């Protein structure tokens, strides 16, 4: 899902292997003035970012193709100005998060489900 707002708006990539979640979160951002694109495949998000890098990446942590922490690390390596927020409804993310911290990456993981107002507030914090 792609928004129709002007290109001068912040671009948000939402990556979740559940299409309904990716599209719903992208729609919430569009309704609040962002240009948002939802992806169900993290590798497609990486490929799209080459032509149109996002200002913000929001990704689920547990996905089949690539976990969200590895996706976030790859995004920050390729696009250092990209801010990252991770979402997870599973407890297995603690080990992945600790592994990332040992490699020098410190990501915020928000619990799913998350209220849209809380998610928008977090976006405000990372872009401030």
């Amino acid at each position: 899902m792609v928004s129709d707002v002007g290109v001068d708006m912040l671009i948000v990539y939402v990556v979740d292997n559940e299409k309904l979640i990716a599209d719903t979160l992208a729609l919430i951002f569009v309704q609040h003035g962002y240009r948002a694109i939802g992806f169900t495949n993290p590798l497609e998000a990486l490929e799209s970012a080459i032509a149109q890098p996002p200002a913000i990446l929001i990704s689920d942590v547990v996905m089949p193709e690539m976990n969200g922490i590895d996706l976030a690390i790859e995004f920050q390596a390729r696009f250092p100005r990209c801010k990252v927020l991770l979402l997870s409804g599973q407890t297995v993310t603690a080990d992945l998060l600790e592994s990332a911290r040992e490699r020098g990456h410190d990501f915020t993981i928000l619990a799913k489900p998350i209220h849209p107002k809380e998610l928008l507030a977090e976006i405000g914090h990372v872009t401030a």
Side-chain angles (χ1 to χ4, degrees):
M1 175 176 151
V2 179
S3 77
D4 293 328
V5 297
V7 293
D8 58 333
M9 305 302 274
L10 286 180
I11 298 172
V12 178
Y13 277 17
V14 179
V15 184
D16 195 301
N17 58 300
E18 294 185 42
K19 183 171 177 36
L20 181 61
I21 293 173
D23 288 349
T24 300
L25 291 177
L27 179 60
I28 289 167
F29 287 112
V30 168
Q31 291 172 338
H32 286 85
Y34 294 88
R35 186 158 190 247
I37 306 170
F39 296 90
T40 56
N41 183 315
L43 301 175
E44 289 177 11
L46 270 172
E47 186 176 313
S48 291
I50 294 167
Q52 186 174 11
I56 305 163
L57 169 69
I58 299 173
S59 179
D60 188 16
V61 173
V62 180
M63 296 182 288
E65 298 86 8
M66 170 187 251
N67 74 60
I69 292 174
D70 287 342
L71 178 65
I73 290 169
E74 190 64 32
F75 258 83
Q76 288 191 327
R78 294 182 186 191
F79 314 103
R81 299 173 83 191
C82 181
K83 306 295 183 186
V84 174
L85 281 176
L86 299 172
L87 302 173
S88 182
Q90 301 185 21
T91 57
V92 299
T93 60
D95 290 339
L96 293 171
L97 187 59
E98 183 58 32
S99 174
R101 285 189 176 134
E102 288 171 1
R103 295 183 285 167
H105 301 280
D106 189 20
F107 299 114
T108 299
I109 296 185
L110 306 173
K112 284 169 67 176
I114 186 167
H115 192 279
K117 286 183 182 179
E118 184 182 344
L119 185 56
L120 289 164
E122 287 295 328
I123 292 295
H125 293 150
V126 299
T127 59

